[in-house]
Amino acid sequence: MTPLIAASLASGDKPRAGRVTLQALAIATAAGAGLCAALIGGADGALSAMGADPSTGELYEYARQYLFIRATAAPAALIMLVGQGAFRGMLDTRTPLAITVGANA
């Protein structure tokens, strides 16, 4: 996506750069929602594959809660990646840095 945006802007085609960004955002949203649903739906299987099972008691419940929290963050994480890529395509690396620093402050 970053090279497509950069090429579009270099050739003066701002509408194409916008379309590429919107398409990437749509794909990131759909993929994030799918990943979220898969992780939540398959949480027990995923934890079992990592060696955790309900017999571990409290540890298993903490791991399950953590997986649910991380799963619900998947769409936002992918959307942030698209945003960073779009800004890099516009040759702006300071804005994503400021957003990252501000979000983690």
Side-chain angles (χ1 to χ4, degrees), residues 1-11 13 16-17 20-21 24 82 84-91:
M1 175 198 74
T2 300
L4 291 175
I5 292 173
S8 298
L9 292 175
S11 67
D13 193 356
R16 181 171 183 251
V20 168
T21 303
V82 169
Q84 289 183 354
F87 277 108
R88 280 192 316 238
M90 294 185 283
L91 302 177

Side-chain angles (χ1 to χ4, degrees), residues 70-86:
R70 293 299 299 163
T72 56
L78 293 177
I79 289 169
M80 287 292 294
L81 285 174
V82 169
Q84 289 183 354

Side-chain angles (χ1 to χ4, degrees), residues 27-81:
I27 291 169
T29 302
L35 180 61
C36 178
L39 283 173
I40 289 176
D44 293 331
L47 290 172
S48 177
M50 291 184 262
D53 57 50
S55 67
T56 57
E58 194 174 301
L59 177 65
Y60 179 79
E61 286 305 314
Y62 286 136
R64 197 165 194 270
Q65 289 174 4
Y66 178 80
L67 183 60
F68 281 7
I69 291 167
R70 293 299 299 163
T72 56
L78 293 177
I79 289 169
M80 287 292 294
L81 285 174

